[in-house]
Amino acid sequence: MKIAIPPSWRTRIDRYRLKASRCKDCGRTGYPASSICRFCGSRNIEYVELVNEKARLLTWTVIYSAMEGFEEKRPVIIGVLETVESKARITAPLTDVLPEELKPGIEMEPVLRRISEDNEAGLIHYGISYRPVLK
Ligand SMILES: [Zn+2]
């Protein structure tokens, strides 16, 4: 039985809200959040949340050989997206979509989804996935 709180639990709120950092000097937004701008090195940062922003799909990869415990989720699709307003790049699983339905540029939205269950400790891990915006 685990006695320590896993890091995924401690960081869950920031992950669920897609906490990012916006640089007040160069104006760019980086995800995940960092106290130093990854584009220009500035420490003049404000934190923003991207969970209410839609994103456009840039590219993706399909994984058919999912690791143990994730067999039911095959194929796993991992996408690289750019949020519409902040232009932040996010790498995240894609859900509610088949690989053949994906096209570059389609609009997607973040949703909270169950990732895995820790049987021993009874913890259920959640994370953000992106799904196509239904028109
Ligand atoms: Zn910057």
Side-chain angles (χ1 to χ4, degrees), residues 45-66:
I45 292 292
E46 65 178 341
Y47 294 102
V48 295
E49 294 176 347
L50 304 175
V51 74
N52 295 317
E53 274 195 53
K54 292 182 173 68
R56 296 211 177 273
L57 182 63
L58 299 176
T59 189
W60 63 92
T61 189
V62 183
I63 303 167
Y64 292 95
S65 57

Side-chain angles (χ1 to χ4, degrees), residues 23-28 37-42 45:
C23 177
K24 293 180 182 175
D25 290 328
C26 76
R28 297 180 74 179
C37 175
R38 57 177 54 81
F39 304 103
C40 74
S42 170
I45 292 292

